């Protein structure tokens, strides 16, 4: 039995070292084996062995050479990088207003067709039909998009990764309550697996985007931060030590559902007076663009938002707060929010509250990152 346990432990160590190497390469770009060993603390022999296996699998590829600064003329280092097309996934992001379907690689980018166009399709979310019917339609869109994938890559599509609002049972792939979309439990994994014949990952949409920040955005410089989505609703995720923080029953931090007015409007989550009811696109959209008549209402809502962010930060102590979403993308609204946060705590300035660097792929990078994390970066 001791030998079996030792074997299991060795396999676990190998997986951890493999993950360590891939995460380092992902965060730095093309890098040599020698630099990988120096940065990770692994032996040169271990790095050589693992990288050779990854090259054999097609995960790593040689990306040129660079001169080694050792004083030895002519000595060059071979640079390794992750092949972004080593494997692909259908990515599905279901929001209350728009659903986006794409074909993505492990670096969070949409695959390009032979014509050089990103393989992405956005459609209005169908909230009237049954969930099974709509998911069947989404599967049809996946089939349609696969026809645009270059022939050399089509057989690399190996998974479906879904981001959806509300509470998700990650282990079983079930949407427990998709706020603003469905009020019933939906076995997303079972339905899409039956339609597409592929493994299916299902994640909360804000947590999925936060995984994107971890792999491709703010997480490359910070291991503790808070993501805040503003539009169409309000969502948040706490990242602690480079991982999504999950509390009881797998729930994550949703301060959009702080109750700020017990007599307020009914929220999509079923409770009354949540912060989201004051700040969603539905609430603020009719007030935009600001006029003398509406500016006071907008400022009052943003002030409430700022207080909530600062209060949440007081508890979670994030190194950075990353904003994303349709309303956060408006520089005027974002400026008002940061100014209001600074009024409560001067440390919440433009250096601490930033706008996502992933806005150009915001509609699909979350599910793509969930897939990439499962495929390569987690141990």
């Amino acid at each position: 039995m001791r030998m079996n346990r030792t074997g299991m432990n060795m396999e676990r160590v190998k997986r951890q070292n493999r993950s360590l190497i891939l995460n380092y390469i992902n965060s730095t770009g093309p890098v040599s084996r020698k630099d990988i060993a120096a940065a990770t603390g692994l032996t040169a022999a271990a790095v050589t062995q693992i990288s050779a296996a990854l090259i054999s699998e097609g995960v790593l590829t040689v990306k040129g050479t660079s001169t080694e600064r050792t004083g030895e003329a002519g000595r060059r280092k071979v640079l390794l990088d992750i092949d972004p097309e080593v494997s692909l996934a259908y990515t599905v992001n279901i929001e209350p207003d728009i659903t986006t379907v794409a074909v993505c690689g492990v670096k969070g980018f949409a695959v390009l067709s032979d014509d050089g166009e990103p393989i992405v399709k956005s459609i209005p979310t169908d909230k009237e039909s049954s969930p099974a019917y709509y998911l069947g339609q989404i599967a049809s869109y996946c089939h349609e998009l696969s026809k645009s994938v270059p022939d050399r890559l089509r057989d690399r599509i190996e998974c479906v990764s879904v981001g959806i609002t509300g509470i998700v049972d990650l282990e079983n792939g079930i949407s427990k309550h998709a706020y603003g979309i469905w009020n019933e439990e939906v076995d997303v994994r079972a339905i899409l697996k039956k339609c597409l014949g592929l493994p299916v990952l299902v994640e909360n949409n804000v947590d999925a985007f936060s995984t994107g920040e971890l792999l491709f955005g703010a997480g490359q410089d910070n291991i503790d931060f808070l993501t805040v989505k503003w539009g169409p609703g309000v969502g948040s995720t706490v990242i602690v030590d480079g991982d999504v923080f999950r509390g009881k029953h797998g729930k994550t931090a949703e301060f959009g559902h702080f109750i700020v007015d017990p007599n307020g409007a009914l929220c999509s989550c079923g409770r009354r007076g949540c912060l989201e009811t004051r700040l969603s696109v539905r609430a603020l959209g009719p007030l935009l663009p600001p006029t003398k008549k509406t500016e006071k209402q907008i400022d009052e809502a943003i002030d409430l938002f700022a207080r909530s962010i600062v209060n949440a930060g007081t508890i979670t102590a994030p190194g950075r707060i990353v904003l994303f979403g349709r309303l956060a993308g408006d520089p005027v609204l974002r400026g008002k929010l940061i100014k209001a946060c600074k009024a409560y705590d001067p440390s919440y300035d433009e250096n601490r509250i930033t706008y996502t660097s992933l806005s150009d792929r915001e509609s699909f990078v979350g599910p793509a990152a969930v897939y990439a994390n499962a495929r390569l970066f987690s141990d």
Side-chain angles (χ1 to χ4, degrees):
M1 292 295 293
R2 179 176 297 173
M3 289 186 67
N4 287 340
R5 285 199 297 270
T6 300
M8 290 173 64
N9 288 339
M10 287 300 295
E11 283 302 311
R12 182 177 181 184
V13 169
K14 287 180 182 178
R15 290 197 305 272
Q16 289 173 336
N17 289 345
R18 174 188 170 108
S19 173
L20 182 63
I21 289 171
L22 288 172
N23 275 285
Y24 178 69
I25 295 174
N26 179 62
S27 66
T28 60
V31 64
S32 72
R33 294 173 179 85
K34 182 176 181 179
D35 290 339
I36 293 170
T40 62
L42 298 175
T43 65
V47 171
T48 297
Q49 181 183 36
I50 294 170
S51 62
L54 290 168
I55 291 171
S56 176
E57 295 170 28
V59 174
L60 292 183
T61 185
V62 174
K63 298 290 285 188
T65 61
S66 69
T67 301
E68 187 171 3
R69 297 173 183 261
T70 62
E72 299 177 33
R75 184 166 183 176
R76 302 185 68 79
K77 298 187 290 186
V78 175
L79 302 180
L80 302 177
D81 202 359
I82 296 168
D83 182 348
E85 298 175 339
V86 61
S87 59
L88 313 176
Y90 294 118
T91 62
V92 180
N93 196 49
I94 307 175
E95 304 269 354
D97 51 353
I98 297 292
T99 295
T100 302
V101 184
V103 179
C104 294
V106 293
K107 284 199 171 183
F109 289 98
V111 174
L112 301 181
S113 69
D114 287 328
D115 295 330
E117 293 297 321
I119 302 175
V120 181
K121 184 180 183 67
S122 294
I123 52 176
T125 298
D126 182 355
K127 294 178 282 189
E128 302 302 321
S129 301
S130 70
Y133 175 83
Y134 186 50
L135 290 170
Q137 289 295 105
I138 287 173
S140 297
Y141 293 130
C142 289
H143 280 302
E144 179 185 329
L145 289 181
S146 71
K147 298 174 184 177
S148 298
V149 176
D151 292 343
R152 65 183 179 84
L153 298 176
R154 196 168 297 139
D155 63 354
R156 298 188 187 184
I157 302 174
E158 61 177 33
C159 184
V160 186
S161 185
V162 181
I164 190 167
T165 59
I167 303 170
V168 172
D169 177 345
L170 302 181
E171 183 177 352
N172 297 301
I174 296 172
S175 168
K176 303 288 285 185
H177 183 182
Y179 302 150
I181 303 173
W182 306 314
N183 291 321
E184 60 194 274
E185 286 193 7
V186 179
D187 195 338
V188 176
R189 175 176 295 165
I191 295 169
L192 288 178
K193 186 175 182 180
K194 182 178 180 181
C195 293
L196 293 167
L198 295 171
V200 180
L201 302 170
V202 186
E203 175 63 282
N204 167 271
N205 64 324
V206 180
D207 293 345
F209 183 85
S210 300
T211 302
E213 285 289 346
L214 273 169
L215 293 181
F216 313 124
Q220 295 184 332
D221 308 300
N222 302 267
I223 59 172
D224 300 295
F225 59 95
L226 174 69
T227 58
V228 177
K229 181 177 184 178
W230 187 15
V234 177
S236 64
T237 300
V238 177
I239 304 296
V240 178
D241 198 21
D243 202 3
V244 174
F245 174 77
R246 302 185 191 277
K248 190 176 181 182
H249 307 308
K251 290 185 177 180
T252 53
E254 281 279 9
F255 79 73
H257 298 288
F258 282 178
I259 296 174
V260 296
D261 182 359
N263 299 312
L266 186 66
C267 183
S268 60
C269 73
R271 300 191 296 187
R272 188 170 291 279
C274 291
L275 179 66
E276 181 172 299
T277 64
R278 297 285 301 277
L279 288 153
S280 67
V281 169
R282 177 179 294 182
L284 291 184
L287 307 179
L288 298 172
T291 65
K292 288 184 178 181
K293 186 176 180 180
T294 63
E295 190 163 9
K296 182 178 179 181
Q297 292 173 268
I298 293 170
D299 288 346
E300 287 174 350
I302 289 176
D303 182 74
L304 184 59
F305 197 7
R307 269 182 280 155
S308 299
I309 288 175
V310 173
N311 285 337
T314 300
I315 296 171
T316 61
R320 181 180 293 183
I321 296 169
V322 181
L323 303 175
F324 71 104
R326 189 187 313 167
L327 295 176
D330 183 317
V332 174
L333 293 177
R334 188 169 69 247
K336 282 177 174 285
L337 177 60
I338 295 173
K339 182 179 179 180
C341 287
K342 283 198 294 186
Y344 287 108
D345 185 332
S347 71
Y348 287 78
D349 59 15
E350 293 83 353
N351 295 316
R352 192 172 183 190
I353 305 177
T354 61
Y355 182 55
T356 180
S357 62
L358 306 176
S359 59
D360 59 333
R361 42 183 169 145
E362 187 177 311
S363 62
F364 58 80
V365 73
V370 170
Y371 165 67
N373 193 51
R375 175 67 169 80
L376 295 182
F377 301 116
S378 62
D379 54 25

